[in-house]
Amino acid sequence: MYLSQKTQLRLANLITIIAEGEKKTEIFRQVLAEQKMFEPYTTFKRLDQLRTGELTVSDLVDFLMDNKITVSKAQADYLFQKLDQNRDGKITYPDFVKAILPKEDSRLRQIATLRDSYALEINMLLPTEVEWGLSKVFYQEVQNYKYFHSFEISSIATAQEILTGSADFTSLDAFRCIDQTLLGYITIETLSEFLKQNGVRLSFDDLLAFFRVVDKDSDGKINYSELLEAIIFTSDYFQQERQIVSELRKSRERIIQLEKEKEENDVLKRSRERIEELKKSREYLEQLEELKRSREKIEQLEELRQSRERLQDLKKSREVQEALKNSGEKIQDLQKSRERLEELKKSRERLNQLEELRKSRQQMEELEELKKSRERQAQIDELKKSRERLEDLRKSRETLQQLEQERKNHEKIDEQKKSRERIEELQKQRKRIEELRTYQEALEFQKKEREELDLKRSQERLSELKKSRERLDQIEALRKSREQEKTLSDMKQSREKIEQLRESELRIQQLENQRRSIERSRELEKIERDLEYERQRSQERIQRLELEAEIERKQRERVLDDEINFVQSRIYDTPKRRY
């Protein structure tokens, strides 16, 4: 197997603890729904004192403190996460209704939802039975999270710690141990088989309770992430992961929108530039046409002026001829006419000069127009080049469109291949589904029989719950009286314990003094022993040194005797042998 037998038993123990805790909370949910004054919306308003439409951790803690229930920060966070059904970091009214209403008894749930709501002001309490029932539901959830018996541990958190503390534990191996058929998800049947293999037998109701807690999407299947969230308490991690995924999706959509907007803006800018260029070209052409028209008008005006001058000259010449005919009559008139002729000559000369100036001006204007026409031709050439560029861009667009069509065709081919593979997989899945349908039909038949039995049991439970509620009221009265008695007895016991502790402290001090004196005496004995041992060793060393000194002294005496004998033998010429 993937896990050892010990870790499998720990996993089965965690599953049973979760199922039992859910069954206990379901009992308190049904008791709360039976109360006639219970209505979900008014209870939600009781907790939502600020009327924001959302509940926070402080709202839950304040409600529990009002009902004389104290919880730690970790327990309050766990309760908040249990009520937050959709895991969005907010407890809204739908989340509250899903968590508070009973889940096994649909009749009670419908009755509670159909009750009429009533007014409830801020800082106003609900009826006592509703306050008691709601606080019990919350308190039971907290107890499921962390609650210790005398010898056994029936807490989800501690069971999770024990399971994850195993040496051979991994979440993937745990999922594979339950999903032995390799379906990729866990069903009620596979879970019951796993529990039977480990010697644990849970009823169908208990298995449904476990699925209610773990199966977040309510599809009748437990996937790997849901089981991991139940085994290892990492709901915040999944929430952060979902938020990151949603933010990434939103950022991708924004990037796509921005790219589309950029493309549209580029197209608009290009179209605007083209429109401006076309407008400029149109204005340029209109100016050219206006110049042509002005030139024609100027030429017409000059022709009219010349014709008028000719007519005036003819009139004057006729007058002169008439004056010459009448010369005999008036000589003075001739003189005047001569003067006028001279003036006319001068005026003609002036007119000739003016015409020459006009022609020079016309030449200058023609030169300027030629310069302008050259500039306009350059602009026209630029327009032609821009048109050629536009044609190139159109061709490139057509090529890009062709490439996109080819890419789409390739993608369609790939999709067709994938669809064929999917069809094959779907055919395999259909076979499995048909097998599962036959199995589910049998299960549904069994479920119907169980539902009939459950209805009978629920009716019996209702009667039992009513009796239990009366008993609970009596028990609470007795509990309060016993608590008072216990408080008095605890006070007396605490006083006695304090006196005992004082006596024990005195005894402990005396024992510590005795121990210190004994330790000192032992240390002195050790020191004396060490001194005796060292003294003996020093005596032995002294004796050894004395023996060595005597041996050396004897050796020296022998050497001296030998030398004396040798000297005497030399003196007396008597050889002596050395021994």
Side-chain angles (χ1 to χ4, degrees):
M1 297 299 290
Y2 296 101
L3 296 175
S4 65
Q5 190 66 32
K6 191 174 181 180
T7 53
Q8 287 183 17
L9 288 170
R10 289 176 179 177
L11 179 60
N13 186 20
L14 177 60
I15 291 165
T16 53
I17 288 166
I18 292 168
E20 287 174 358
E22 178 62 21
K23 292 290 285 183
K24 289 176 183 177
T25 52
E26 182 63 23
I27 290 165
F28 285 108
R29 288 195 199 104
Q30 291 178 3
V31 171
L32 177 63
E34 285 178 353
Q35 305 299 327
K36 293 181 180 179
M37 294 300 291
F38 170 71
E39 198 275 321
Y41 186 68
T42 52
T43 53
F44 183 77
K45 286 197 293 183
R46 159 72 179 89
L47 294 171
D48 187 14
Q49 294 291 330
L50 298 175
R51 300 292 187 268
T52 58
E54 297 173 358
L55 298 180
T56 60
V57 179
S58 61
D59 294 331
L60 300 175
V61 173
D62 293 335
F63 173 76
L64 293 171
M65 290 293 288
D66 292 336
N67 289 280
K68 297 180 181 180
I69 296 170
T70 56
V71 292
S72 64
K73 188 178 182 299
Q75 292 171 355
D77 293 333
Y78 175 77
L79 181 60
F80 182 83
Q81 289 166 359
K82 286 290 288 182
L83 295 175
D84 186 10
Q85 295 289 323
N86 57 1
R87 300 300 171 89
D88 59 350
K90 300 174 185 177
I91 300 174
T92 55
Y93 178 66
D95 296 333
F96 182 75
V97 169
K98 285 180 185 178
I100 295 302
L101 291 178
K103 297 179 181 179
E104 290 182 355
D105 197 346
S106 60
R107 187 181 64 82
L108 276 174
R109 185 168 63 249
Q110 189 174 4
I111 289 165
T113 52
L114 291 172
R115 286 185 185 131
D116 295 330
S117 62
Y118 51 90
L120 189 72
E121 295 179 357
I122 298 170
N123 295 325
M124 189 175 175
L125 300 176
L126 293 166
T128 54
E129 60 270 16
V130 180
E131 289 271 339
W132 176 81
L134 186 61
S135 64
K136 283 290 180 183
V137 172
F138 289 166
Y139 186 62
Q140 185 61 42
E141 290 286 352
V142 174
Q143 275 187 329
N144 294 334
Y145 174 65
K146 195 168 185 180
Y147 181 74
F148 294 89
H149 285 295
S150 59
F151 296 102
E152 295 179 356
I153 298 171
S154 63
S155 162
I156 294 170
T158 50
Q160 286 172 352
E161 289 177 359
I162 291 166
L163 178 62
T164 54
S166 301
D168 60 341
F169 172 76
T170 59
S171 58
L172 186 61
D173 290 336
F175 184 78
R176 288 175 180 172
C177 282
I178 300 170
D179 183 21
Q180 294 179 4
T181 57
L182 301 175
L183 294 171
Y185 54 85
I186 297 168
T187 59
I188 293 172
E189 291 78 15
T190 55
L191 184 63
S192 63
E193 287 177 1
F194 170 73
L195 294 171
K196 285 177 184 177
Q197 287 175 3
N198 290 282
V200 179
R201 291 186 179 180
L202 291 177
S203 64
F204 188 74
D205 294 334
D206 294 333
L207 293 171
L208 285 174
F210 177 75
F211 266 73
R212 281 201 303 273
V213 175
V214 179
D215 189 10
K216 301 298 180 182
D217 53 1
S218 300
D219 60 349
K221 300 172 185 177
I222 297 171
N223 54 25
Y224 175 69
S225 62
E226 291 172 348
L227 184 69
L228 181 64
E229 190 173 356
I231 293 171
I232 303 167
F233 187 68
T234 56
S235 59
D236 291 333
Y237 171 74
F238 288 108
Q239 188 175 1
Q240 290 176 0
E241 189 176 1
R242 288 168 188 165
Q243 288 178 358
I244 289 162
V245 170
S246 63
E247 287 176 357
L248 285 170
R249 286 176 182 172
K250 289 178 182 178
S251 63
R252 284 176 183 173
E253 290 175 356
R254 287 175 186 172
I255 288 161
I256 291 163
Q257 288 178 357
L258 289 169
E259 287 178 353
K260 289 179 180 179
E261 289 176 357
K262 282 181 180 178
E263 289 177 356
E264 290 176 356
N265 289 321
D266 292 332
V267 171
L268 288 169
K269 284 179 180 178
R270 290 172 185 173
S271 63
R272 285 174 183 173
E273 289 175 356
R274 289 172 189 170
I275 289 161
E276 288 177 356
E277 288 176 356
L278 292 169
K279 284 180 179 179
K280 288 178 180 178
S281 63
R282 284 178 184 176
E283 289 175 355
Y284 182 69
L285 292 169
E286 287 175 356
Q287 287 176 1
L288 288 171
E289 289 176 355
E290 287 177 356
L291 287 168
K292 287 178 181 179
R293 290 173 185 173
S294 64
R295 281 179 183 177
E296 290 175 355
K297 287 178 182 179
I298 289 162
E299 288 175 355
Q300 290 174 1
L301 290 169
E302 286 179 354
E303 288 176 356
L304 289 169
R305 186 173 59 77
Q306 288 176 2
S307 63
R308 284 177 184 176
E309 288 176 354
R310 287 172 185 174
L311 289 169
Q312 288 177 0
D313 292 332
L314 289 169
K315 286 178 181 179
K316 288 177 181 179
S317 64
R318 284 176 184 178
E319 288 176 357
V320 169
Q321 286 176 2
E322 288 175 358
L324 288 169
K325 286 178 181 179
N326 295 319
S327 61
E329 295 176 358
K330 292 179 181 180
I331 295 165
Q332 293 178 356
D333 293 330
L334 287 169
Q335 290 178 355
K336 290 179 180 178
S337 62
R338 285 176 182 175
E339 291 175 357
R340 286 178 183 175
L341 286 169
E342 289 177 357
E343 289 177 358
L344 287 170
K345 287 178 182 179
K346 289 178 180 180
S347 62
R348 281 180 183 177
E349 290 176 357
R350 288 177 184 174
L351 287 170
N352 292 322
Q353 290 177 358
L354 288 170
E355 285 179 357
E356 289 176 357
L357 289 170
R358 183 176 61 76
K359 288 178 180 179
S360 63
R361 284 179 183 176
Q362 286 179 357
Q363 289 176 358
M364 292 293 288
E365 288 176 355
E366 286 176 356
L367 290 169
E368 288 177 356
E369 286 177 357
L370 286 169
K371 288 180 181 178
K372 289 180 181 179
S373 63
R374 286 177 183 175
E375 290 176 357
R376 286 170 186 172
Q377 284 177 358
Q379 290 177 358
I380 289 162
D381 294 330
E382 288 179 357
L383 287 170
K384 287 180 181 178
K385 289 179 181 178
S386 64
R387 285 178 184 175
E388 290 175 356
R389 287 174 186 173
L390 287 170
E391 289 176 357
D392 294 330
L393 289 170
R394 285 175 185 173
K395 290 178 182 178
S396 63
R397 278 185 181 176
E398 290 175 356
T399 53
L400 287 170
Q401 288 176 358
Q402 290 176 0
L403 291 170
E404 285 180 355
Q405 287 178 358
E406 290 176 356
R407 185 176 59 78
K408 287 178 181 178
N409 292 322
H410 287 298
E411 288 178 355
K412 285 179 181 178
I413 292 162
D414 294 330
E415 287 178 356
Q416 287 176 359
K417 288 180 182 178
K418 289 179 181 178
S419 63
R420 287 175 185 173
E421 292 176 355
R422 286 176 185 172
I423 288 162
E424 290 176 356
E425 289 178 357
L426 288 169
Q427 288 176 357
K428 291 179 182 178
Q429 288 179 0
R430 279 180 185 176
K431 291 179 182 178
R432 290 180 183 175
I433 288 162
E434 288 175 357
E435 293 176 355
L436 290 170
R437 278 180 184 173
T438 55
Y439 187 67
Q440 284 177 358
E441 286 175 358
L443 286 173
E444 286 176 357
F445 182 72
Q446 291 178 0
K447 283 179 183 178
K448 287 179 181 178
E449 292 180 353
R450 286 176 182 174
E451 284 177 356
E452 291 176 357
L453 292 169
D454 291 332
L455 287 170
K456 292 179 182 179
R457 288 177 183 175
S458 63
Q459 290 175 358
E460 292 175 356
R461 281 180 186 173
L462 287 170
S463 61
E464 289 176 358
L465 287 169
K466 288 178 182 178
K467 291 177 182 178
S468 64
R469 187 178 64 184
E470 293 175 356
R471 288 176 184 173
L472 286 169
D473 293 331
Q474 293 176 0
I475 288 163
E476 281 186 354
L478 291 169
R479 185 175 59 76
K480 288 178 182 178
S481 62
R482 284 178 182 176
E483 283 178 356
Q484 291 176 357
E485 290 177 357
K486 282 181 181 179
T487 52
L488 293 169
S489 62
D490 290 333
M491 292 289 286
K492 290 179 182 179
Q493 288 177 1
S494 62
R495 287 177 183 175
E496 290 176 357
K497 285 179 181 179
I498 288 162
E499 291 176 357
Q500 289 176 1
L501 288 168
R502 287 176 181 174
E503 291 176 357
S504 64
E505 285 178 356
L506 292 170
R507 288 177 184 175
I508 287 162
Q509 288 178 359
Q510 290 176 0
L511 290 169
E512 283 181 354
N513 293 324
Q514 289 177 1
R515 183 176 60 77
R516 287 173 183 172
S517 63
I518 289 162
E519 286 178 353
R520 287 175 184 174
S521 63
R522 285 177 181 175
E523 287 176 356
L524 290 169
E525 287 177 357
K526 284 181 181 179
I527 290 162
E528 288 177 355
R529 286 175 186 173
D530 293 332
L531 289 169
E532 287 178 357
Y533 180 71
E534 288 178 356
R535 188 177 62 189
Q536 289 176 0
R537 287 181 71 186
S538 63
Q539 286 177 359
E540 288 176 356
R541 287 176 183 174
I542 289 162
Q543 288 176 359
R544 286 177 185 174
L545 290 169
E546 287 177 353
L547 290 170
E548 289 176 356
E550 286 178 356
I551 290 162
E552 287 179 356
R553 184 173 55 78
K554 287 179 181 179
Q555 286 178 357
R556 287 176 182 175
E557 286 177 354
R558 285 178 184 176
V559 169
L560 289 169
D561 290 333
D562 292 335
E563 289 179 353
I564 290 162
N565 292 323
F566 181 72
V567 170
Q568 286 177 359
S569 65
R570 286 282 184 92
I571 293 167
Y572 295 106
D573 295 324
T574 56
K576 289 182 180 181
R577 293 179 181 178
R578 290 183 182 180
Y579 296 99

